């Protein structure tokens, strides 16, 4: 198993990072939250999980070992493959998922693209007791922990993150429009657009629109 990769970031896409390791470019699938914390040319260390299929070897990358462990535990539930597990971590932090499972919060799970009410109830039953109790203050959307504003405008960064989570471009545009007043207020106050909070608000607006 490849436990982690470490090296300069060679390339970035909404859900893919290429890390140069010993002269070899390792393609690592990541959540938009993790991608947003990386910069081309800078050193990075990602915890990884290798998923082996008959026709493919796919390396998934995470901000830390806890995120990787939760990724692997999520896949013990029937119907949850690596892409769904990654989408869950793209929307919620490991602690937020622990909190949702331990409290039976189906609504939090339906915020993940591709998980409906019935699927959420099934996941609550199958994962109960597997993830453990929240480790920290708990319950925050994963984007709040790791995303820092990158060189791209906040609108482009937010749209790329939403598309990376599986939303259509039209849905991403509508969500960006919905949170624009919040971003403009932050900028007018002398700060920068708070991308992690904006991503959470955008996901909430998309969930309400379903």
């Amino acid at each position: 198993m490849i436990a982690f990769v470490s090296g300069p970031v060679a390339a970035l896409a909404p859900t893919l990072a290429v890390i140069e390791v010993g002269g070899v470019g390792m393609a690592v699938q990541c959540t938009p939250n993790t991608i947003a914390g990386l910069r081309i040319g800078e050193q990075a260390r990602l915890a990884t999980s290798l998923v082996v299929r008959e026709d493919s070897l796919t390396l998934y990358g995470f901000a830390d070992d806890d995120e990787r462990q939760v990724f692997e535990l999520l896949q013990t539930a029937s119907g949850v493959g690596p892409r769904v597990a990654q989408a869950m971590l793209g929307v919620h932090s490991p602690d937020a998922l622990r909190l949702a499972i331990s409290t039976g919060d189906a609504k939090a799970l339906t915020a993940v693209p591709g998980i409906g009410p019935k699927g959420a109830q099934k996941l609550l039953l199958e994962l109960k007791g597997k993830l453990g109790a929240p480790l920290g203050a708990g319950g925050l959307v994963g984007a709040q922990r790791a995303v820092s504003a990158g060189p791209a405008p906040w609108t482009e960064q937010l749209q790329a993150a939403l598309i990376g989570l599986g939303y259509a471009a039209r849905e991403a545009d509508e969500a960006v429009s919905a949170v624009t007043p919040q971003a403009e207020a932050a900028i007018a106050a002398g700060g920068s657009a708070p991308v992690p909070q904006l991503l959470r608000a955008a996901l909430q607006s998309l969930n309400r629109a379903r």
Side-chain angles (χ1 to χ4, degrees):
M1 176 182 176
I2 302 174
F4 69 89
V5 295
S6 179
V9 179
L12 292 172
T15 58
L16 179 74
V18 178
I19 309 297
E20 184 179 340
V21 182
V24 177
M26 304 287 286
V28 186
Q29 296 288 330
C30 304
T31 66
N33 307 329
T34 300
I35 292 292
L38 303 177
R39 298 291 180 271
I40 293 176
E42 294 186 2
Q43 289 288 320
R45 183 185 188 279
L46 297 175
T48 56
S49 178
L50 181 63
V51 176
V52 180
R53 296 287 186 265
E54 289 184 2
D55 59 348
S56 66
L57 295 172
T58 306
L59 199 60
Y60 290 84
F62 311 93
D64 53 42
D65 291 336
D66 182 41
E67 198 170 66
R68 176 185 61 195
Q69 182 180 24
V70 170
F71 170 79
E72 292 172 348
L73 288 172
L74 289 172
Q75 293 176 73
T76 63
S78 60
V80 177
R83 292 190 180 278
V84 173
Q86 189 179 52
M88 293 173 74
L89 285 165
V91 175
H92 296 299
S93 71
D95 256 10
L97 287 170
R98 291 188 183 100
L99 185 64
I101 299 299
S102 63
T103 60
D105 187 357
K107 186 177 180 180
L109 297 184
T110 59
V112 179
I115 297 181
K118 290 184 178 179
Q121 291 296 337
K122 183 179 178 183
L123 287 173
L124 290 175
L125 290 173
E126 294 194 22
L127 293 172
K128 191 171 182 63
K130 290 187 176 182
L131 302 188
L135 302 178
L140 296 182
V141 171
Q144 287 189 296
R145 299 174 303 120
V147 177
S148 58
W154 71 267
T155 53
E156 293 180 12
Q157 189 180 8
L158 185 58
Q159 185 179 48
L162 291 168
I163 291 174
L165 286 171
Y167 289 99
R170 177 185 57 78
E171 292 177 307
D173 288 340
E174 291 174 355
V176 169
S177 296
V179 301
T180 294
Q182 182 179 338
E184 292 177 342
I187 295 171
S192 59
V195 177
Q197 291 89 336
L198 292 173
L199 179 57
R200 180 175 66 172
L203 288 167
Q204 290 173 341
S205 71
L206 287 166
N207 194 39
R208 287 194 299 268
R210 287 182 178 180

